Amino acid sequence: MQSGGRVLVIPGLNGHPGLLMRSAPVLFPEWSAVAFNHHLDLASDGVEGLASRALGVLDDPDEKVWVCGESFGGTVALTLAHQRPERVKGLILLSAFGWHPSALARRGAGALAVWSFLGHRLSNSMYRAGRVASLPTQLGLVFPGDLFRSYISRPRANVAAYRTKAELSLTFDARPWLSSLACPTFVLTGTWDPVVPVSAGRELARGIPNATLHTIQGGHLVHLVHAKRVGGLIAAWAKESLSPDKGFP
């Protein structure tokens, strides 16, 4: 284990952690990363159940860790910090949201209806073509070739699991308890994100007492495109968060 402890990594709606874990050594160079794979998780017990299972991947029931949530994974990370604050050193929220803006919710509902109809019907080649078409919104216009290959080749979403979690994301609202989160929190947004609007990240950071907001030019997965830069920001934030004058245990 690296000197800074461990980070629990919770990926977005697809649920497969491979793409995010590929960049984990660069994003979290001081920490050992462990992933919560919810690719096939039907989330029948809601975000709260996902949060409980995410914590369950840790061997030590008393271990306190950093928790990173990406996009929808941010809802799970936030819920975990709310339910079990004694287990969380700090939160890293990447292109995440604390509640769905109304315009985004309408788009999400429409996209969900289309996905529910097409999910089982698309051939692998058509599905892959859809991924290529989504590249500008996810990775931007300039990105490393190896990231492109990893993005295109990651496992297809499980339709039933994806649908349930997409529905959960449309109704998730942490506003009633966001202000109770005491742990240091790192919030990152891109400058152009049609999946989770930049405003959602800003509002999330404003709602958490000890949050630090960073914005980097790029799309929804800007943290993967600029992993080294983001890793430096996270390392500096974590070091400052642990300084004695901050008062965090």
Side-chain angles (χ1 to χ4, degrees):
M1 183 184 299
Q2 287 135 301
S3 59
R6 290 211 288 178
V7 56
L8 174 60
V9 174
I10 307 173
L13 273 179
N14 180 285
H16 194 282
L19 192 61
L20 187 53
M21 287 296 285
R22 169 192 170 278
S23 294
V26 182
L27 288 170
F28 317 115
E30 298 298 321
W31 304 333
S32 172
V34 57
F36 172 47
N37 186 342
H38 59 91
H39 182 63
L40 302 179
D41 195 315
L42 297 178
S44 58
D45 47 1
V47 177
E48 293 79 6
L50 287 167
S52 178
R53 286 188 289 283
L55 197 57
V57 306
L58 301 173
D59 299 328
D60 183 349
D62 297 317
E63 183 181 4
K64 194 170 186 177
V65 298
W66 304 94
V67 180
C68 173
E70 174 192 62
S71 191
F72 171 77
T75 69
V76 181
L78 285 165
T79 302
L80 196 163
H82 175 56
Q83 292 180 331
R84 301 294 303 276
E86 75 282 2
R87 300 293 304 277
V88 180
K89 285 184 178 180
L91 288 172
I92 301 101
L93 304 174
L94 308 174
S95 299
F97 55 91
W99 62 95
H100 252 293
S102 58
L104 180 60
R106 287 194 295 271
R107 288 205 306 269
L112 180 59
V114 174
W115 173 256
S116 297
F117 177 75
L118 294 177
H120 291 295
R121 296 169 173 82
L122 291 178
S123 65
N124 285 333
S125 59
M126 291 178 66
Y127 193 92
R128 191 180 180 94
R131 281 225 174 124
V132 172
S134 72
L135 281 170
T137 65
Q138 297 291 318
L139 303 182
L141 299 177
V142 180
F143 41 81
D146 56 344
L147 177 58
F148 166 77
R149 290 186 290 273
S150 295
Y151 177 76
I152 292 299
S153 62
R154 68 175 173 167
R156 288 182 64 152
N158 176 277
V159 174
Y162 189 99
R163 181 189 301 121
T164 300
K165 286 175 279 192
E167 290 169 347
L168 289 172
S169 73
L170 297 178
T171 58
F172 182 78
D173 190 347
R175 282 176 290 186
W177 45 263
L178 268 185
S179 62
S180 71
L181 298 180
C183 64
T185 302
F186 177 98
V187 180
L188 178 77
T189 72
T191 53
W192 184 70
D193 186 347
V195 181
V196 177
V198 178
S199 60
R202 289 198 299 263
E203 290 165 4
L204 174 61
R206 279 199 294 265
I208 301 174
N210 298 303
T212 300
L213 174 66
H214 289 277
T215 301
I216 293 180
Q217 186 171 358
H220 188 55
L221 299 180
V222 65
H223 51 282
L224 302 182
V225 177
H226 300 290
K228 187 173 182 178
R229 180 180 175 188
V230 174
L233 292 172
I234 292 173
W237 161 81
K239 183 177 180 180
E240 182 181 0
S241 298
L242 294 176
S243 62
D245 62 303
K246 290 295 182 179
F248 294 115

